[in-house]
Amino acid sequence: MNRFPRPLPARRSRAVMAAMVLPLLLPLGACSFDSARKCLPDSGSVSSAEIVGVYKGLRDAENVSVSLETDDERPGASGGRVSVKNWPTGDWYRPELGETFDGTGAWEFRSAGKAGERAAVSFTFTEPRRFGVNDTLDTLMVAADADRIVLYENDDPDICPRFRLESRTS
């Protein structure tokens, strides 16, 4: 008599394992998705003229500030001048190339294309000149509602962005 149970066929054992693990994972996904929706404004409808202003950093962007100004030489353009304080180096918001920097350059606005997409703002830094493409964070997503506009790093759309800057509209 065999004291050990007979192994389940591979197909059946995968189904049993999925049935055991799936209920454990579902609450994790639901929580992070819900928290991402609650931490950002609901509406993605915003124009380039509306995002002009000063933004103060929150969470991982604490002590960071961004000033977006229109370009008087190009009225009606979807961009202008940007100046930053304590901006992180590296292509992500963690300082990969050293410390933070203060700098200036240009910004450009990209409106949301399809439903569910968010608008974005891209930066090109002219001062300091040591930064090229992917040497620093150069694109942030835009979320807005009646009370605030949020610029944020969209590194994981299922969780609340840790690097974000906010401007109050009222």
Side-chain angles (χ1 to χ4, degrees):
M1 182 162 193
N2 190 357
R3 289 191 287 181
F4 300 104
R6 192 177 78 193
L8 294 172
R11 198 172 12 163
R12 186 170 173 207
S13 64
R14 276 187 239 137
V16 169
M17 183 64 101
M20 290 171 31
V21 172
L22 190 58
L24 299 173
L25 295 177
L26 284 176
L28 294 175
C31 290
S32 62
F33 183 72
D34 285 343
S35 66
R37 269 195 294 196
K38 291 177 185 171
C39 75
L40 292 173
D42 290 330
S43 170
S45 177
V46 64
S47 71
S48 63
E50 292 172 300
I51 68 168
V52 171
V54 176
Y55 293 80
K56 299 294 181 191
L58 302 169
R59 294 180 141 207
D60 285 357
E62 186 176 0
N63 297 322
V64 176
S65 67
V66 173
S67 176
L68 301 178
E69 301 172 8
T70 58
D71 191 345
D72 296 333
E73 296 173 11
R74 297 178 9 198
S78 63
R81 294 181 309 276
V82 62
S83 51
V84 296
K85 298 253 189 254
N86 297 314
W87 197 254
T89 61
D91 61 346
W92 202 46
Y93 67 84
R94 304 257 184 235
E96 296 172 2
L97 301 177
E99 295 302 313
T100 61
F101 67 93
D102 296 349
T104 59
W107 64 274
E108 187 175 331
F109 179 77
R110 184 182 71 232
S111 60
K114 303 174 197 168
E117 288 184 356
R118 298 260 185 186
V121 61
S122 297
F123 306 116
T124 304
F125 293 104
T126 54
E127 293 295 330
R129 294 189 185 275
R130 69 179 185 241
F131 296 104
V133 175
N134 293 330
D135 286 343
T136 187
L137 182 63
D138 59 7
T139 301
L140 296 174
M141 305 308 290
V142 180
D145 63 15
D147 298 324
R148 63 187 172 144
I149 298 174
V150 179
L151 306 178
Y152 64 96
E153 167 63 14
N154 192 29
D155 55 330
D156 186 346
D158 291 335
I159 62 171
C160 190
R162 298 213 33 91
F163 186 90
R164 61 183 191 249
L165 300 113
E166 187 173 295
S167 176
R168 292 287 172 181
T169 57
S170 50

